[in-house]
Amino acid sequence: TTQVKKICCLGAGYVGGPTCAVIAYKCHDIDVTIVDLNEARIAAWNSDNLPIYEPGLDKIVFERRGKNLFFTTQVEQAVIEADLIFVSVNTPTKKSGLGAGFAADLAYVESATRQIANVAKSSKIVVEKSTVPCRTAESMRTILEANSNENIRFDILSNPEFLAEGTAINDLLSPDRVLIGGLQTPEGIRAQQALVEVYAHWVPTDRIITTNLWSSELSKLAANALLAQRISSINALSAICEATGADIDEVAYACGRDTRIGPKFLKASVGFGGSCFQKDILNLVYLSEQLNLPEVAAYWKQVVDLNDYQKKRFVSRIIKTLFNTITNKKIAVLGFAFKKDTGDTRESAAIALCKDFIQENAKVRIYDPKVSTEQIFMDLSTPGVDNLDALKKRVTIAKTAYEASEDADAIVIATEWDEFKELDFPKIYEKMHKPAFIFDGRLILDAENLRNIGFRVHTIGREDRDFY
Ligand code: NAD
Ligand code: UDX
């Protein structure tokens, strides 16, 4: 089989960066070069201040950078030298044109593929790392084969990434499985084997799954759809809990103890966020429609619809509880990232909540330990909200949770950061307007304890216990 000595990765984002850093960390005999068109991002990867926050990432990057791990904007040279190339570019939901709002925008994948075809001077294994609709590899193959000759051949593999942000390094160091799809031809199988050997440096071989190309591509969309479906299922039940007095954490525990159901990914919340779930389900919905399977499309679409409903429902409950108006009330929003241990805000539920609060003319005070002020204003300025100046009159950013909650009428927990569990709540209570409300969108706080302090506490998936 071919032995991989030099790897190039196109795209130094949340996936390309950590994935290839871990490959370099585990395979000292392989040179790994990560390239990106974005100069600022590459400069950050080469600095002390990495462009993404991920526990454990710094240590690995600092240990291998300059040895067998390189970050550069010199795409051409890196492609020419590599024998295996990961395509790990972004594949956002299309904003306009055919399939707008559903289909994945494959423009970046295509231009990365063309770049490889244009500059390659020797044979390459090209690996789809980006999440793409089923059969994208076919288009990549057509582009690459139109540019191959008897001296240069391209083999295409699908190797979707299953890491979750916030736990990326652990997920990469000990993955449940690695999935590698290839054409089931002698050449395809040989290429597949070459990538298996890269992962086999640290992943037990029984965890490396090889399949045909299309199974691999579809499995990525399927896995995300199944995971998100669990959250929408538990969130749908949380609405029933609030109306009946059942407690969603107790229900999730009782159901999860059935080993056929399992305990993970059953945490009710204000709604799932992140760059993947919504995008990939919409992608699956579009694929189903393209395949003339409208019932299948409607089935998966409901997972996203329920998620939107969950966010709206939480906002309505807050407004209703605050005596049906939040105009000029101060709402402290704790957490802005889409989950803890990341600075990523893509599709964060907090964005939807804050936009609704602004629409109701509330004063919003936001604190997140890892999200920058610029990022928050960028997320809130997108359509639906006025210009930046008007926005800054309504929204302020705090440096601590204490500062955010000072003079506030209500605290809204939007992200489950551990530090929120450890806050000095008697101190916070002192400085809030009374009655002081807390809305726990992540079910992380001890409601009884807070009620003893004097707070009025409302939690997703639990009946309201304040009666006026
Ligand atoms: P990202 O936006 O953080 O990174 C993508 C990078 O690719 C950007 O920095 C962009 O500048 C760069 N790029 C675009 N075109 C390029 C080109 N032609 N050459 C070089 N660089 C180019 O995106 P991400 O979160 O890393 O996601 C990448 C892919 O991985 C997506 O398809 C996504 O669906 C998938 N994925 C993401 C996650 C996640 O948790 N974020 C997990 C699994 C899979
Ligand atoms: C997800 C998949 O988990 C990962 O395998 C895939 O590669 C990329 O997409 P990610 O979006 O980074 O990863 O984070 P994840 O932990 O899945 O959380 C997604 C969202 O669901 C977050 O907003 C999180 O708060 C929410 N969530 C998760 C819940 O509301 N309840 C849960 O029980 C789990």
Side-chain angles (χ1 to χ4, degrees), residues 411-460:
I411 292 175
V412 174
I413 307 285
T415 311
E416 74 282 20
W417 285 103
D418 288 336
E419 64 172 74
F420 299 156
K421 296 185 209 166
E422 314 296 329
L423 292 171
D424 182 346
F425 281 104
K427 178 172 148 192
I428 287 176
Y429 182 76
E430 275 304 297
K431 300 209 166 161
M432 281 178 68
H433 285 171
K434 311 295 178 322
F437 292 90
I438 293 191
F439 297 91
D440 186 355
R442 292 293 186 166
L443 299 88
I444 55 169
L445 301 180
D446 180 345
E448 269 327 296
N449 189 22
L450 293 172
R451 285 196 182 100
N452 289 336
I453 297 169
F455 284 106
R456 302 201 172 188
V457 186
H458 298 260
T459 307
I460 281 190

Side-chain angles (χ1 to χ4, degrees), residues 47-242:
S47 76
D48 290 341
N49 223 340
L50 301 185
I52 64 179
Y53 172 70
E54 193 62 66
L57 176 64
D58 296 30
K59 180 182 160 279
I60 286 181
V61 170
F62 296 159
E63 193 171 319
R64 299 313 306 170
R65 200 170 58 190
K67 298 198 176 88
N68 67 331
L69 176 64
F70 309 93
F71 297 90
T72 172
T73 50
Q74 306 291 308
V75 182
E76 238 175 74
Q77 197 198 338
V79 168
I80 289 172
E81 289 177 1
D83 20 64
L84 183 146
I85 302 168
F86 284 111
V87 176
S88 185
V89 301
N90 35 331
T91 51
T93 305
K94 276 183 83 173
K95 289 207 175 73
S96 62
L98 207 62
F102 288 90
D105 186 346
L106 295 174
Y108 303 97
V109 171
E110 177 167 342
S111 79
T113 309
R114 285 185 185 278
Q115 228 163 351
I116 297 169
N118 289 341
V119 306
K121 296 192 170 67
S122 60
S123 297
K124 312 281 176 201
I125 299 173
V126 178
V127 185
E128 259 179 4
K129 189 52 126 173
S130 297
T131 303
V132 291
C134 193
R135 290 202 80 85
T136 302
E138 190 64 38
S139 326
M140 292 175 73
R141 197 156 69 103
T142 309
I143 293 170
L144 291 169
E145 278 181 359
N147 292 279
S148 58
N149 54 45
E150 63 274 21
N151 301 318
I152 308 186
R153 63 167 285 121
F154 296 101
D155 288 296
I156 306 232
L157 299 174
S158 156
N159 172 220
E161 185 47 63
F162 294 104
L163 68 80
E165 288 176 31
T167 54
I169 299 303
N170 273 339
D171 294 344
L172 288 163
L173 290 175
S174 33
D176 285 345
R177 77 327 203 166
V178 166
L179 177 57
I180 304 172
L183 281 183
Q184 297 306 293
T185 58
E187 297 84 2
I189 291 169
R190 206 178 321 130
Q192 207 169 27
Q193 213 45 45
L195 185 55
V196 166
E197 276 166 28
V198 172
Y199 284 106
H201 279 72
W202 79 97
V203 180
T205 42
D206 65 344
R207 292 189 175 216
I208 305 177
I209 305 171
T210 53
T211 65
N212 80 36
L213 260 179
W214 324 120
S215 304
S216 173
E217 287 181 329
L218 185 58
S219 296
K220 176 63 199 181
L221 296 185
N224 273 352
L226 289 167
L227 288 168
Q229 182 191 45
R230 276 173 79 89
I231 303 170
S232 278
S233 298
I234 206 75
N235 283 344
L237 292 165
S238 77
I240 299 180
C241 289
E242 287 166 34

